[in-house]
Amino acid sequence: MEIESVLPASTSAFIAFGINDFKTFSNDYKTYLDKTGRYDSYNRAISEINKSLNINLEEIFYSFLENEIALVYTDINPTEINNNVYVVMNTKGKSLAEDQLTMLLKNYGKKIKKGLSSFITHFEIDDETSHLIFKMPVNKIACKLFGSVFANAETNYFTFIDNYLVFGKTISSLSKFIQD
């Protein structure tokens, strides 16, 4: 695994999963949910997202994910623990992932009559380095797609560090993740 290469120095703990084939993972996960009586709830939640955004959420994510996904905690503080929880996903390429997620945002923007730029914040580290931080219209997306191990991770915003997709609760928390 190489996911730790993008984790900030302030990382207190992380749980990383190596997944060779996300489609197989998805099928196995759905079988598990079915056997534990939770598949209908999962399917209903994903179907609502698909319908509201006019997308196929699983198809979008599984098209660009590659091998690694992690739940990351930084600066553990009991009063603000949820502000410092992140989901980091390895992608087949930043451009592919960004194109797929931009399409998702455009579909959402059409629905609420807003342009893509209303979902993007520019975070400048210095005069030469900046990152785009995107507003994600679906919160807790990692939990919805990959299970309750990600239940504490708010996925309101995302950015890219190299070929890694990073989700966080706020623009401020993602900015801190990037700077560390």
Side-chain angles (χ1 to χ4, degrees), residues 1 17-22 64-69 90-91:
M1 287 208 190
F17 299 92
I19 302 172
N20 291 332
D21 183 339
F22 279 93
F64 65 74
L65 291 178
E66 179 147 298
N67 300 332
E68 299 173 291
I69 183 170
N90 190 8
T91 68

Side-chain angles (χ1 to χ4, degrees), residues 80-139:
E80 296 181 352
I81 194 164
N82 288 339
N83 286 335
N84 300 320
V85 181
Y86 305 88
V87 176
V88 181
M89 301 175 177
N90 190 8
T91 68
K92 294 175 184 172
K94 177 186 173 189
S95 295
L96 174 62
E98 191 170 10
D99 288 348
Q100 290 293 321
L101 293 172
T102 299
M103 180 193 68
L104 181 151
L105 293 174
K106 285 179 181 177
N107 283 354
Y108 180 66
K110 283 181 191 175
K111 180 179 178 180
I112 64 167
K113 297 178 176 44
K114 287 190 174 184
L116 179 62
S117 63
S118 64
F119 301 105
I120 301 173
T121 300
H122 294 268
F123 172 66
E124 292 187 18
I125 295 173
D126 55 39
D127 290 341
E128 297 176 8
T129 311
S130 67
H131 287 265
L132 298 178
I133 298 177
F134 301 84
K135 171 76 174 127
M136 173 54 88
V138 181
N139 191 18

Side-chain angles (χ1 to χ4, degrees), residues 39-63:
Y39 177 76
D40 289 341
S41 174
Y42 165 85
N43 192 46
R44 193 170 28 261
I46 297 297
S47 294
E48 286 175 15
I49 294 166
N50 289 345
K51 185 177 178 184
S52 71
L53 298 178
N54 193 30
I55 58 165
N56 183 322
L57 189 65
E58 294 167 312
E59 194 174 284
I60 287 173
F61 272 81
Y62 297 145
S63 74

